[in-house]
Amino acid sequence: MELRHLRYFAAVAETCHFGQAAAALHVAQPALSYAIRQLEAELDVTLFVRTTRQVSLTPAGEYLREHAERILAAVDETVDGVRRIGAGRSGLVRLGITGIAAFSHLPRIARVVKRELPDVDLHIRSDMLTPSQCDALRTGALDLGVLRPPAVGEDIDTRVIDVESMVLAVSADHRLAVEPVISMSDLRNEPFVMYDSRDSAVNEAALRACRAAGFVPQRAHQAPGTAVLLALVAAGLGVAVLPASVRSLPLDGLVVRDLVDSDTVEIALAWRSGDDNPVVAAVAEAIAGAFESNGLAPSASQPQPDPQGPFPPQPDPPGASLLPAQFGERS
């Protein structure tokens, strides 16, 4: 049974008039009549009772009409779905996200994907370290990552979408908690609480700032994640230099202060090099667009993505924001 014949049958069944059906289908009436006869011959049944005055469905025709409507609706839905996927407008994207970026960046990401790509199913895996995200991208377990560069290993491309200032976290009874202006040099003799991962981008930013101020920090305690780290700081066991995102997680006994000479840390989109999945590219473009106001993501006036990945290679322009970024993160 040809799909074309089924559509012709459905049109005649709806109008019970060959002339009206032919006009709606934009075919000649003799061609339509011939197609219906072919369908009846194939099924070995009579589908219509034809007289000089009217056309009506036989019981077999009534049965076929019910099923034809369902079949044609399913075909149309399938064709539409295939086209949406091919255009990057529908499908599944698995997104990894690091730390309290789940609190700071994910709401904006989820909103823009829902608004611009309502038929995309976004599966989120949170609290993933940068190395874990890179491994999952390479194996195909993730399609996109929101992480702190640099990427770990090969075959991963990144695009910076946000930059955060580093701030000072101290206990409420610490001597610096009441100071209006704090510099890195004020921390020279302070014990530090830091992450226990070698690959921590936050640790590296803190170390750079300390070295620039002329000292190496005293690592008094190491924490597996931000929640533990902040608890140790609030308990007075040391100070911490962290992304400004820590302000989104208030904790009793903890005070966050600006640093006048701190370093910065980045948040970036990451994907497999050469990934040509149009849905992944569409989601990546939507996320980048959501952070355009930060001056980092490519604007609509810039070149469109090429088949080598969600973004064309280009240098990361300067820019900064104070969006939160990291919870339970060690890299």
Side-chain angles (χ1 to χ4, degrees):
M1 181 187 301
E2 292 185 29
L3 188 61
R4 174 175 60 91
H5 288 171
L6 198 60
R7 291 194 186 279
Y8 286 1
F9 164 79
V12 178
E14 181 180 357
T15 61
C16 284
H17 193 288
F18 277 82
Q20 293 177 11
L25 292 168
H26 303 290
V27 299
Q29 183 173 332
L32 175 61
S33 299
Y34 179 69
I36 296 299
R37 288 197 298 272
Q38 283 185 306
L39 179 60
E40 290 177 322
E42 181 181 354
L43 297 176
D44 196 24
V45 296
T46 299
L47 298 172
F48 295 98
V49 176
R50 305 165 178 85
T51 69
T52 56
R53 299 177 63 88
Q54 65 178 13
V55 174
S56 61
L57 287 163
T58 65
E62 289 282 3
Y63 180 85
L64 181 59
R65 180 177 65 175
E66 294 178 6
H67 289 271
E69 290 174 354
R70 187 183 72 253
I71 292 168
L72 292 172
V75 169
D76 291 341
E77 182 179 352
T78 301
V79 170
D80 183 57
V82 168
R83 288 173 176 167
R84 287 198 308 271
I85 292 172
R89 310 300 298 177
S90 178
L92 169 67
V93 173
R94 297 156 300 177
L95 177 75
I97 193 161
T98 187
I100 53 171
F103 295 90
S104 57
H105 294 70
L106 183 57
R108 194 191 299 194
I109 289 170
R111 279 195 299 270
V112 72
V113 172
K114 180 180 179 181
R115 183 179 70 245
E116 298 185 12
L117 302 165
D119 293 322
V120 169
D121 188 6
L122 202 61
H123 284 195
I124 308 297
R125 291 179 59 186
S126 60
D127 291 336
M128 292 189 71
L129 310 179
T130 292
S132 298
Q133 287 195 50
C134 292
D135 289 342
L137 287 168
R138 275 187 289 270
T139 62
L142 286 181
D143 302 302
L144 280 174
V146 178
L147 48 75
R148 293 196 182 278
V152 178
E154 299 179 348
D155 302 322
I156 301 296
D157 293 331
T158 61
R159 173 69 190 182
V160 174
I161 59 172
D162 200 9
V163 176
E164 292 189 79
S165 298
M166 300 289 281
V167 297
L168 176 67
V170 298
S171 61
D173 58 359
H174 193 279
R175 65 180 181 86
L176 294 174
V178 296
E179 294 294 330
V181 178
I182 302 170
S183 68
M184 290 299 301
S185 60
D186 294 328
L187 310 178
R188 182 181 302 275
N189 298 315
E190 295 291 336
F192 274 68
V193 183
M194 306 184 83
Y195 294 108
D196 65 4
S197 171
R198 292 182 184 178
D199 300 318
S200 170
V202 174
N203 280 359
E204 285 300 316
L207 288 170
R208 286 194 302 271
C210 290
R211 291 180 186 128
F215 70 96
V216 175
Q218 306 172 32
R219 294 196 189 202
H221 296 278
Q222 297 189 110
T226 301
V228 174
L229 188 151
L230 294 180
L232 295 177
V233 172
L237 298 182
V239 303
V241 176
L242 299 168
S245 47
V246 298
R247 289 194 172 100
S248 67
L249 293 169
L251 181 67
D252 287 343
L254 187 75
V255 174
V256 178
R257 290 287 182 259
D258 289 332
L259 287 164
V260 296
D261 52 357
S262 68
D263 209 325
T264 59
V265 286
E266 299 171 331
I267 285 285
L269 279 176
W271 62 93
R272 287 184 300 279
S273 300
D275 189 350
D276 60 356
N277 186 326
V279 182
V280 174
V283 170
E285 288 182 38
I287 294 172
F291 291 91
E292 281 183 355
S293 60
N294 297 344
L296 293 166
S299 68
S301 62
Q302 291 178 310
Q304 294 300 306
D306 64 22
Q308 298 304 311
F311 297 113
Q314 53 185 296
D316 294 325
S321 79
L322 295 181
L323 285 174
Q326 186 178 39
F327 183 77
E329 177 189 46
R330 293 177 290 171
S331 70

